[in-house]
Amino acid sequence: MTDTTPQPIYLADYTPPNWLVEDVSLTFVLDPTATRVRSTIRFAPNPDARSRDFFLHGEHLNLTHAAIDGAEITPEMVDGGLTAEVPDTAFTWEAEVEISPETNTALSGLYMSNGMYCTQCEAEGFRRITFYPDRPDVMAPFRVRIEGDMPVLLSNGNPTGSGEGWAEWHDPWPKPAYLFALVAGELIAREDKFTTMSGKEVDLKLWVRPGDEGKTAFGMEALKASMKWDEEVYGREYDLDIFQIVAVSDFNMGAMENKGLNIFNTSAVLASPETSTDANFERIEAIIAHEYFHNWTGNRITCRDWFQLSLKEGLTVFRDQQFSGDMRSKAVCRINDVIALRGRQFREDNGPLAHQVQPDSFVEINNFYTATIYEKGAELIGMMKTMVGEEEYYKALDLYFTRHDGEAATIEDWVRVFEDSTGRDLTQFRRWYKQAGTPRLKVTDDFKDGTYTLHLEQETPPTPGQDKKLPQHIPVAVGLIGPNGDEVVPTQVLELTEARQSFTFDGLGAKPTPSILRHFSAPVILQRDSSPAERAFLLAHDTDPFNKWEAGRALAKDVLIAMVTGEDAPLSDYHEALTVMLRDDSLDPAFRALAMGLPGQDDLAQTLFDAGVTPDPQKIHRASETLKQATAEHLQDLLPRLSAEMEVDAPYEPNAEQAGKRALGLELLKLTNRLDGGAAAQALYESADNMTHRLGALGCLLDVDKGSNELADFRTRFEGDALVMDKWFAMQVAHTDPEKAADLADTLTKDPAFNWKNPNRFRALFGALSMNQAGFHHASGKAYALLADWLIKLDPVNPQITARMTTAFETWRRYDADRQDMMTAALKRIAATDGLSRDSQEMVGRMLGD
């Protein structure tokens, strides 16, 4: 019997490619079910290779012709590709294959989206297009000819010719196959130009389907802002004559940085005030920047192999976070980044899916496009910048770009650049890339005779495959605040390198209050006994915006945990501190909106679990509702005045100033909603001239079990807009009573508008269900069973989305025995499915500990 268990690939087994590619010529003759792809590839022996064996990757390809130096051959078809006898010296390979884009529902390789041809080749989609050494360290320039009846025919690089039914493109910059792109369809472009710092004029085109032209202005401005910022901050100039973006409605990811031709999920580029929220605008701005920044950190310098994925993704996330901070509020952006990190990456680190930033092995690389690779990878870049300082950081980056331009580099190359540039030994810091898990930083202190001492202790819990952890190199940014609220010691970066270390501060007149881990200087969990009074003091006086917010959040968490466990909750301390913060007009409204938000219910469940308490999702939900109601009643006299101050008396703009006022206004509306039964929310829905207010008001109405008329109106207004209908599906499940969540989700799957094969629509519905914590973890287990049913149905159609959505079950070990049994039963049912994809097999196996 053949063993069908997916076999892992190991970093330790890496070998250089046997053959390098000098140039590639491709001709596509497009047809929905019988596209022909002709390839002419010049191969040369790699002097660093250990073998001259010849192997090309290929999947779902019908080979119709192959030749070497013009002589016909019959290659041997093997698992995952083909082999052939080849000369010892350079040669030209020719082949023709036939593929069927229309039936390619996996959305990897060349596929069709509503009649439009498009590609997604990262990580290993190019092997679904033609036979090729589909690995990141094989880089070559590409020439592409596209023949077909579509009016717009696009590929990477610069256009070199076109005519009736054909177009040709040349990308002169060597690239790996995963950066290849092709788009063909009925499209309309918003056009603009950008002049680079050296004076070169670049054509800019943002391509959309007819009817979406009105949603492209913001995306184009975000692109130009990104290009300007990358020149000014990193000195990186764009290197082609044209830069293009295409919006695609069926796309597994947010966007893709294909060289010169970025392909975007429509949700990540289309925007208008009537259809997009402020959060949508901010996300679009960040994603456009991210994909553009990849031109240097990912394209010009790519990764040697997929174990180095964070080399391009972590660095580019860090760069787009910097950009967002410069475009908007640094403090608010940093807080949002940390909320996302804790909500996704800390959860990953604390469960069966924990893995290193640089993994040692994987079964399916698609499963490693994770928060650990992206967000934790970005935190590592931030820590290096914190330790070496601003000037040394940019000096090291200049060396990185100079030394590795045009190369497929490694994380070791990256760290070595910093060592060579700054003279620092970062041997211990490299552990951040190789040790999984989130370190716990325990802090105690004492004060005697004017000397204040901080005692720091670090420990990282075991993770799958890694029981024993060595001490990390942790930069801990600390400031000290005196009893009168003045900062007596400004921010200093303490470098913790041992399991236990102490740091002293002399010459103090009184015991200060420490502000620890300022700007969230390291991705750790801070453990320190602190009183509600101290948290309130920091919320009022801390000069570091992140720690100011953190103090209020910790105070709210104290209240909620006490409510869940039946202890005395410090409610008055929380409400007094919250009132002082809200009354402080010097604080950015966006910051105050974030400070009003409560810790997420998933966060509370993890906190209880870490404390040895089995979390009850229903109790957590009730505690959150109780605190919200108590806060509304406490602030009822303040709400009208503050709400009036947050009104924007100007035409809608998605800028930071207006968005901050709307954010705080909606947070206040959520409290007012509990007092007036939805009257103010209904009025806002009826008067709204933008999606931020309309959707926020609708959510408030659903929270108080109202809004049926508004929900129907919302659908009537927007049923022709797929992205807004995604909101319609998600909103209902997110805001329903947990008792009804699974049943409502099940009902919505029967709605004619539920196109389950569209990744955005599937994620909208089932992502909302999994995030409705009390609803998803309802004691009946209905939600577990429903999601498992649909994942089994989706897997043969789109294994990538299926595998990613299985992560809803990753926290099963937290809960009581009944919930554990039901979740593992759901996972085992998925695992037992005949023909389950490699993607899903790996994820389910890791969660079950197989």
Side-chain angles (χ1 to χ4, degrees), residues 28 122 145 257 318 371 465 566 612 625 636 654 681 724 744 789 835:
F28 290 80
E122 188 176 359
R145 178 181 173 90
E257 71 268 18
F318 179 72
E625 291 299 299
Q636 58 184 323
V724 183
L744 176 58
D789 289 343

Side-chain angles (χ1 to χ4, degrees), residues 272-429:
S272 73
E274 298 78 21
T275 61
S276 308
T277 65
D278 290 329
N280 294 149
F281 278 103
E282 186 172 351
R283 174 176 179 263
I284 287 167
E285 183 179 67
I287 292 177
I288 286 175
H290 179 96
E291 304 308 333
Y292 175 75
F293 297 156
H294 263 313
N295 187 62
W296 277 91
T297 51
N299 297 3
R300 287 283 288 260
I301 305 176
T302 192
C303 47
R304 186 195 71 178
D305 52 71
W306 293 119
F307 297 98
Q308 322 298 328
L309 182 57
S310 192
L311 174 67
K312 74 182 185 76
E313 295 300 349
L315 176 55
T316 306
V317 168
F318 179 72
R319 276 156 43 77
D320 81 52
Q321 290 175 348
Q322 286 182 289
F323 169 79
S324 293
D326 285 347
M327 295 300 105
R328 295 176 180 270
S329 160
K330 279 186 170 62
V332 170
C333 286
R334 182 56 179 156
I335 292 167
N336 278 323
D337 291 339
V338 175
I339 290 173
L341 179 81
R342 288 171 170 171
R344 296 175 57 227
Q345 199 283 319
F346 278 21
R347 167 175 163 148
E348 196 166 82
D349 254 352
N350 285 318
L353 299 179
H355 62 275
Q356 305 128 293
V357 174
Q358 185 188 41
D360 290 328
S361 68
F362 60 77
V363 170
E364 181 53 64
I365 183 55
N366 291 322
N367 291 334
F368 279 82
Y369 283 75
T370 64
T372 296
I373 298 296
Y374 283 69
E375 278 75 22
K376 187 173 182 179
E379 293 298 314
L380 271 55
I381 309 297
M383 284 193 287
M384 294 174 78
K385 183 172 182 286
T386 296
M387 292 192 302
V388 306
E390 186 100 355
E391 182 178 346
E392 289 297 321
Y393 169 79
Y394 287 108
K395 179 181 173 184
L397 264 292
D398 286 341
L399 177 60
Y400 176 68
F401 292 127
T402 300
R403 179 181 289 181
H404 295 293
D405 186 15
E407 294 183 0
T410 65
I411 285 170
E412 287 74 19
D413 293 330
W414 162 257
V415 178
R416 193 176 301 115
V417 160
F418 272 78
E419 291 180 323
D420 293 347
S421 179
T422 67
R424 293 192 55 145
D425 182 356
L426 297 175
T427 302
Q428 184 179 3
F429 186 83

